[in-house]
Amino acid sequence: MLQVVPVAAFKDNYVWTLRNASHAAVVDPGEAQPVLDYLKREGLQLAAILATHHHPDHVGGIAELLRSFDVPVYGPKNEPIATLTRPVAEGDSVSIPELGVEFSVLDIPGHTRAHIAYYGAGSLFCGDTLFACGCGRVFEGTAEQMVKSLDKLAALPDDTKVYCGHEYTLANIGFAKAVEPGNTALAKREEHDRKLRAEGKPTLPSRLGDEKATNPFLRCREPAVIESANKYLGARAADPVRVFAAIREWKNKF
Ligand code: ZN
Ligand code: FE
């Protein structure tokens, strides 16, 4: 039975660890030590490393993991990650026979130039592109690319489990409330996620259907979000890319 376990790294990163009784694969190991500790404690062999994008808080632990385990390292073909051995892009799939899982690779540029996601077994590992109730900053791509990437993720089934790279949920909900104060699904989500954090539990994975109902960055075509974006802009825009760019900029300063 495949399990997905969050191994905490740094202040608010999650190294998602897929495991069965004998093996594990890790997504975005920014740090090696917490992963090595977990594997040792659980008596697991590492089978693969998957990276979503080149930022150090996602790939910084790979070299050290490779000193203990000789495993394939999957990651975006068009980003500078020195430790990659299996560069992949959309259309490719990643199979981890030790765990009996296979993922398809999706190109989701915007946060970085060639950011990818892994989708399989009803789960989405999306790094810093889609966050719970938020999205990553647009560092290397354009707002247009980010909207396309988010649309691509939003088209997956509603019951998809969303495993993103950081525990940013409560702060993201705070901003989402400023954008959509009348969203009742959002109010419910806040209550639910606050409770989880108070118990020291991750708010992740979330469900894609809940993201579509509460995440303002997936709701750039909703009248209430358009209205708030226009208020922020002091202009009238209904184009989803302009609406997205406005709320992204607003969030950067929030
Ligand atoms: Zn990042
Ligand atoms: Fe990150």
Side-chain angles (χ1 to χ4, degrees):
M1 185 47 192
L2 185 76
Q3 263 186 289
V4 184
V5 178
V7 171
F10 305 113
K11 192 166 72 73
D12 52 31
N13 280 72
Y14 289 125
V15 181
W16 291 109
T17 302
L18 293 69
R19 62 161 292 184
N20 57 20
S22 57
H23 287 85
V26 289
V27 182
D28 286 351
E31 269 188 307
Q33 201 54 54
V35 174
L36 291 169
D37 291 346
Y38 178 79
L39 297 174
K40 192 171 173 198
R41 190 166 73 237
E42 299 288 319
L44 300 171
Q45 281 288 332
L46 193 63
I49 298 171
L50 283 66
T52 62
H53 67 294
H54 70 86
H55 286 158
D57 64 311
H58 298 254
V59 301
I62 295 177
E64 195 181 332
L65 290 175
L66 291 176
R67 285 199 279 277
S68 301
F69 299 99
D70 181 20
V71 296
V73 181
Y74 297 90
K77 195 182 258 173
N78 295 309
E79 292 202 353
I81 304 171
T83 46
L84 277 199
T85 59
R86 308 281 179 91
V88 291
E90 186 154 317
D92 291 329
S93 58
V94 170
S95 113
I96 309 169
E98 293 88 342
L99 296 173
V101 283
E102 184 167 287
F103 296 101
S104 43
V105 176
L106 302 172
D107 286 335
I108 48 168
H111 177 67
T112 58
R113 192 179 334 121
H115 196 302
I116 56 174
Y118 300 92
Y119 173 64
S123 300
L124 174 71
F125 297 88
C126 50
D128 288 354
T129 298
L130 175 64
F131 287 131
C133 216
C135 76
R137 288 184 190 235
V138 181
F139 284 128
E140 296 173 9
T142 63
E144 192 171 357
Q145 281 179 323
M146 196 65 162
V147 168
K148 262 178 102 172
S149 295
L150 293 172
D151 282 347
K152 190 184 284 183
L153 299 182
L156 297 171
D158 277 358
D159 62 358
T160 302
K161 292 182 199 140
V162 177
Y163 295 93
C164 56
H166 293 267
E167 180 63 62
Y168 290 160
T169 314
L170 293 186
N172 286 343
I173 289 175
F175 174 71
K177 278 167 49 184
V179 178
E180 272 194 289
N183 184 332
T184 51
L186 182 60
K188 266 198 180 153
R189 181 175 193 174
E190 182 178 29
E191 199 186 314
H192 177 259
D193 286 350
R194 272 194 189 289
K195 206 169 151 233
L196 286 174
R197 293 309 288 151
E199 293 164 3
K201 293 178 186 156
T203 58
L204 299 162
S206 63
R207 304 272 158 174
L208 193 58
D210 294 330
E211 295 303 333
K212 282 154 72 177
T214 57
N215 187 328
F217 297 99
L218 296 182
R219 296 170 60 76
C220 292
R221 294 167 185 89
E222 289 293 321
V225 175
I226 294 171
E227 197 190 308
S228 284
N230 285 349
K231 240 184 239 164
Y232 177 79
L233 277 175
R236 283 170 65 87
D239 167 48
V241 174
R242 273 196 80 192
V243 170
F244 172 85
I247 61 171
R248 188 56 262 181
E249 191 195 295
W250 178 8
K251 171 74 165 67
N252 292 348
K253 297 173 181 161
F254 189 74

